[in-house]
Amino acid sequence: MTHYAHLQVEIRGHTAQVTIDNPPANTWNRASLNALKQLVADLNADDNIYALVITGSGSKFFSAGADLNLFADGNKLVATEMTMLFGEAFEALAAFRGVSIAAINGYAMGGGLECALACDIRIAEVQAQMALPEAAVGLLPCAGGTQQLPWLVGEGWAKRMILCGERVDADTAERIGLVEEVVGQGQALEAALKLAEKVARQSPSSVKVCKQLVQRARIEPPGYNLIHEREQFIKLFDTADQQEGVQAFLAKRSPQWHNR
């Protein structure tokens, strides 16, 4: 078990299991945001890691977001520092070269939900509640919420959650596309780890490029990305994984990936 500030990390095969551990509500602060950024950098440098699963400690909170005590005195310098830390940490998570899965085991509020939004896939337990309530306290989601949420659920639901402060339960979240799966209480981590095992069957070199292509679709026109897609296909022939994958298939054996 490796410990970062307020984050517990356990390596399970090719998966890094990350637990947000800052009771009672698993809030984010300077130390944990810096730790998350460093953790993702460390995982990116480890060729043995293909997936990341993040969940909250305890049974009530995934994460309640920022510690509002940081903003109680209206200090703009603190606000500037924190918004940069939030942005850098969750953008690093979104850019993780493997597959990231949020196992939402309880309340995911504000920056807690933004952490889940930065992941590739979200699995929520049936009792989970999700919201971006920042406007209710005179703030706004500053760690990607205004950009990531409408991409997943559409502008209408994004406005309901951000502008009206509407909280959604797990079933609603699945219906509107905020999460991909709902499981029973206490089952999100297991479901996420099982999904991560499927990632390990894929070529990590291919997964990295495919993820980049999917995410580029948000900001670049299809005409450009279709050309880029073909270019990246050809570049995969420079990797050891491409040769291993095809040869393993033809030999009817399981591939041994090199992540290069």
Side-chain angles (χ1 to χ4, degrees), residues 125-143:
E125 293 182 8
V126 66
Q127 82 283 0
Q129 299 278 322
M130 286 149 272
L132 291 178
E134 285 86 348
V137 294
L139 299 172
L140 62 81
C142 69

Side-chain angles (χ1 to χ4, degrees), residues 22 27 39 59 61 90-91 93 99 128 137 169 180 213 232:
N22 188 23
T27 50
L39 169 60
S59 59
F61 287 95
F90 293 166
E91 286 168 24
L93 178 58
V99 177
V137 294
D169 59 20
E180 283 68 49
L213 287 166
Q232 291 301 318

Side-chain angles (χ1 to χ4, degrees), residues 133-185:
E134 285 86 348
V137 294
L139 299 172
L140 62 81
C142 69
T146 64
Q147 304 303 300
Q148 302 275 28
L149 186 62
W151 182 262
L152 290 172
V153 305
E155 184 176 312
W157 269 103
K159 286 179 175 177
R160 286 180 68 153
M161 292 181 67
I162 296 172
L163 306 185
C164 303
E166 187 161 349
R167 180 184 298 185
V168 298
D169 59 20
D171 288 339
T172 302
E174 184 179 34
R175 176 168 56 85
I176 66 178
L178 178 52
V179 304
E180 283 68 49
E181 183 179 357
V182 175
V183 297
Q185 187 167 0

